[in-house]
Amino acid sequence: ASPMVPLMISENVAQWGYTVDEFLALGDDCIDIVFSEDRTRFLEQMANLDKVDYLIRRYRILTKNGEIRWVLDYTVSVESSLHGKLLYGYLMDITSQKNMEGQLLITKEKAEAASMAKTHFLASMSHEIRTPLNGIMGFIQVLMQMESTPEQREYYEIMYSSGKSLMK
């Protein structure tokens, strides 16, 4: 693969600590601003530019002071009569969006964990309540079969009906 040498660059590189002249002076070493863990994938995608009209990529870069920033890269291949094949594109800093994605993912995982804990708690509580309630209901049925006054019988039926409602 031929080296990527910037011919022209926007003043926007200042957001990453570079002047235009400093960036142009990097020459084919400009690949060094791509974060080392993303470099292989970056180069593989560049090799595929012959097969597609454009690339849209997300990867990390290193600022002049060594800070890692996320960028959205839009690159298109164009033919120039003077220079042959050229790459034209832009980089947009998306670090804040990536950080927000990370926070949203953490929040989603916490919500899912809380929902799972709630489900386990309710299942456990349901079991813990049903077991003694079944015992109570059994004793009420025994009482209902014994001799009782009409008033006692009414109380037993109210207790049994309430117990059935709780079981539901």
Side-chain angles (χ1 to χ4, degrees), residues 4 103 118:
M4 294 187 335
Q103 289 295 21
K118 182 181 91 173

Side-chain angles (χ1 to χ4, degrees), residues 81-136:
S81 57
L82 188 60
H83 295 284
K85 181 178 172 184
L86 294 175
L87 300 178
Y88 169 78
Y90 58 86
L91 298 178
M92 185 169 33
D93 194 309
I94 59 167
T95 304
S96 59
Q97 291 92 323
K98 279 294 199 178
N99 291 342
M100 189 177 293
E101 280 176 21
Q103 289 295 21
L104 287 172
L105 188 61
I106 289 168
T107 302
K108 177 181 175 256
E109 287 170 356
K110 284 181 181 177
E112 287 171 349
S115 176
M116 186 65 74
K118 182 181 91 173
T119 300
H120 288 303
F121 173 77
L122 289 175
S124 177
M125 286 306 297
S126 175
H127 175 74
E128 294 298 322
I129 289 170
R130 283 174 184 271
T131 303
L133 190 56
N134 277 322
I136 292 168

Side-chain angles (χ1 to χ4, degrees), residues 28-162:
D28 60 357
D29 289 335
C30 69
I31 187 70
D32 293 345
I33 74 157
V34 176
F35 186 57
S36 58
E37 291 177 18
D38 297 346
R39 214 170 284 160
T40 302
R41 185 172 39 91
F42 176 92
L43 291 170
E44 286 169 355
Q45 290 170 331
M46 287 303 292
N48 288 334
L49 194 53
D50 293 336
K51 300 175 190 124
V52 294
D53 295 331
Y54 62 91
L55 290 175
I56 298 176
R57 305 173 288 180
R58 289 165 188 80
Y59 54 88
R60 293 164 290 180
I61 63 162
L62 293 172
T63 63
K64 188 175 175 184
N65 67 9
E67 182 186 2
I68 297 173
R69 304 291 294 179
W70 277 96
V71 294
L72 173 74
D73 175 342
Y74 174 80
T75 305
V76 63
S77 177
V78 293
E79 287 296 325
S80 161
S81 57
L82 188 60
H83 295 284
K85 181 178 172 184
L86 294 175
L87 300 178
Y88 169 78
Y90 58 86
L91 298 178
M92 185 169 33
D93 194 309
I94 59 167
T95 304
S96 59
Q97 291 92 323
K98 279 294 199 178
N99 291 342
M100 189 177 293
E101 280 176 21
Q103 289 295 21
L104 287 172
L105 188 61
I106 289 168
T107 302
K108 177 181 175 256
E109 287 170 356
K110 284 181 181 177
E112 287 171 349
S115 176
M116 186 65 74
K118 182 181 91 173
T119 300
H120 288 303
F121 173 77
L122 289 175
S124 177
M125 286 306 297
S126 175
H127 175 74
E128 294 298 322
I129 289 170
R130 283 174 184 271
T131 303
L133 190 56
N134 277 322
I136 292 168
M137 297 287 288
F139 277 111
I140 291 172
Q141 284 177 320
V142 168
L143 285 173
M144 289 170 74
Q145 291 172 3
M146 296 172 67
E147 272 192 44
S148 54
T149 66
E151 190 179 11
Q152 287 174 322
R153 185 154 201 63
E154 185 182 347
Y155 293 155
Y156 298 155
E157 285 177 14
I158 291 170
M159 289 189 309
Y160 188 75
S161 173
S162 297

